[in-house]
Amino acid sequence: MKRIEQQNHALIWKKYDMTLRVEAWGPDAVRVRASRNKDFQNRHDFLIPPPPATAEIHCNTEHISDMGLATGITDLDRLGDNMDGKIINGNLTVELAESILTFKNSCTGETVLQGKELIICAGEGQAITGALRHTGAAHFEAQVDFEAHHSEKIFGMGQHRHGFLDQKGCVLDLMHHNCEINIPFMLSSRGYGLMWNHPGTGRAEFSKNRTRWTADCTTEIDYIVMIAPTPKEILAHYASLTGYTPEIPKWATGFWQCKLRYKTQEELLQVARKYKELNLPISAIVIDYLHWTHMGDWKLDPEFWPDPKAMVEALTAMGIELVVSVWPTVSRKSENFPHMMKNGMLAGVKHGVPVMLSFTDNGGPSWEGMYLMDPTNPEARKFIWDRLRQNYVQYGIKSFWLDAIEPELVSHFPDYSGVKFHLGDAEKCGGLYPYYAQKMIFDGLKSQGESSVISLGRSAFMGSQKFGSAVWNGDIKSSFEMLEVSVKSGLNMAVSGIPWWTTDLGGFYGGEPRSAYFRELLVRWFQFGVFCPLFRLHGFRNGDAEENNEVWSYGEEVFGYLKKYLHYREQLRPYIQQLMDQCQNEGTPPMRPMFLEFPDDPKCWSMEDQYMFGPDLLVFPVLKYEQRQRKVYLPEGHQWKNENTGECSKGGQVITVDCPLDFIPVLRKIK
């Protein structure tokens, strides 16, 4: 037997032991939950409570206006044959009929998303809205299927190395790894967005015969669907539910200088001084790993960094921000290990010893087992922040690089099933590890009175952006193939709600500094980096940690090109600041797939190797070795000016552009 009723702003549908709740969730959106437990249990910090719903609820033969909560009004014509209920919430209409949910555009009546019938062995075998299979206690494996559409294009979903901007046809593991970031939000060319509210492991399948979402361990099915007239408005709705970016520190839009390791305070200061002597724009310099005494001490080694306060003061006088790398790893030799182990501040395992990965550390063997802090534990966040405050912040260091916060689990890769956090099993909540690490930094710096906060992390989740979390695309290879992947990674991260994004200019590893291939690659990567939200040089050249990685390290010819791009970026910073301000208020990222600016142009939904940087700059990176020309599509309705030659071209055509090595790959839209 089935039963349907209305509770406040939601339809409640019950059949056997399954309860389905479809609820207006902010403007133009609904939240769908289904459970076989007595109560709905998901309480997600990454979701911001929406404003009061104003939807119309139609339930069987009753028409109940949610605005006034009037009851008892019969309106048979508002429900079709066999329809159990309907919710109209602005641009979104959801119909429930025989357990199948259909999501429609309220203005056009067009179906944009429809559930696909699942036959599950429950009782006599009934069609239900999704599958919840017991995996133990009150936990289930959840599965939801939707009808597939061949022409649909799907964007977002975080960051992946498969090399596609359009995710249609892809199967994605919902799990963080180095270079792989799981943000289960998709934006569809059919005019809707979908948030899969499960921070644990699972899978998304965007295949020809179905779209399937799976969560390996959960208490219920939970997702949100939203509809808006344009992709920008969908992203605005998404930001309203997960958080807008805060104010970005003014220095952060400039050039960041970094290499694998600056070993001493004097070495780092010498590099900073040389940038200033050469009159090169620089906003930040980074101290990377092994600057500490032991992993998990979270403090500078005084032997090599004897006077951090004086170092920060010297850099500040030069107009340079100091950024310090903070890792989640904790060595048994750390002074903090006994306290953290005793008080449950380290990630655990169901069986065995909770050593998560092997890594090198100061004063020890080449490799040793490491534990992980547990940022999902509020007491651990408080304790670790106190260490950071005492050992960095008190000297004026207030910008942090959060490396390996997927977290990296080499000993357990790729199986998270045995890992446990304070918040629960990793397979249920592991996606929130970077979220809480970023929250720790944001809350800590805010408590110290900082008005603008940024941290750079190797992972993220839905909502990380509200903590001023910037992301880069991990330890990638130095190759033209990975440069092309990076363009698409940055665009999908932008559509996933993470607008502050960057990449290791030149790639992280495998580059031969003296080769013509790598030097050209570095030049082309810089050209792309100029038009990324953050602009940061980093890398591990030729497998040699001692290799220099400053802009003057690759010969006079390359230096001349890179110097040009540094100054061009500096000229762009006021424009970039405007884009950051817009993102803070509207949720529109600076780095935009073509369809975000031109949604009515079908060709723009298929452009994967060019993009808009803000509303005015069309960027088309050169992505092949020794390539000196490339084709560019110009959207209709505008003139487009080549920033290198001054030549103008009419929109609505594909043009071929000459791309010499000193070329800035951008066209400016002429209004």
Side-chain angles (χ1 to χ4, degrees), residues 115-137:
K116 187 177 179 69
E117 184 176 88
L118 293 174
I119 304 300
I120 305 299
C121 292
E124 298 178 356
Q126 300 291 330
I128 61 175
T129 190
L132 284 166
R133 300 181 179 89
H134 273 290
T135 58

Side-chain angles (χ1 to χ4, degrees), residues 10-71:
L11 284 176
I12 309 296
W13 181 92
K14 296 182 179 181
K15 193 169 186 178
Y16 299 105
D17 65 344
M18 175 75 80
T19 299
L20 171 69
R21 182 181 181 91
V22 185
E23 181 176 9
W25 200 261
D28 307 317
V30 297
R31 186 177 183 183
V32 178
R33 284 177 282 182
S35 178
R36 295 174 68 181
N37 291 321
K38 182 178 180 181
D39 300 309
F40 292 105
Q41 300 175 23
N42 279 3
R43 303 290 185 269
H44 291 319
D45 285 354
F46 60 83
L47 287 180
I48 295 174
T54 57
E56 295 180 6
I57 305 291
H58 304 270
C59 181
N60 287 335
T61 58
E62 284 189 339
H63 171 211
I64 302 173
S65 171
D66 217 26
M67 300 279 289
L69 297 181
T71 60

Side-chain angles (χ1 to χ4, degrees), residues 273-281 563 567:
R273 293 185 193 111
K274 187 168 182 178
Y275 269 95
K276 304 309 290 187
E277 290 167 4
L278 294 173
N279 195 31
L280 298 174
K563 181 166 56 174
H567 286 287

Side-chain angles (χ1 to χ4, degrees), residues 513-573:
R514 287 162 289 278
S515 74
Y517 176 92
F518 177 76
R519 291 187 175 195
E520 181 169 324
L521 173 68
L522 183 61
V523 170
R524 294 306 194 189
W525 215 309
F526 254 77
Q527 293 170 358
F528 165 55
V530 166
F531 303 101
C532 289
L534 302 182
F535 185 42
R536 169 179 158 273
L537 176 61
H538 184 52
F540 182 32
R541 304 303 176 214
N542 198 28
D544 182 3
E546 306 302 320
E547 192 74 53
N548 293 325
N549 190 45
E550 289 74 40
V551 293
W552 55 79
S553 303
Y554 300 98
E556 285 300 318
E557 182 183 12
V558 171
F559 178 47
Y561 297 143
L562 303 191
K563 181 166 56 174
K564 173 183 176 180
Y565 306 141
L566 287 176
H567 286 287
Y568 190 88
R569 172 71 178 206
E570 197 69 12
Q571 295 170 15
L572 273 182
R573 288 182 67 188

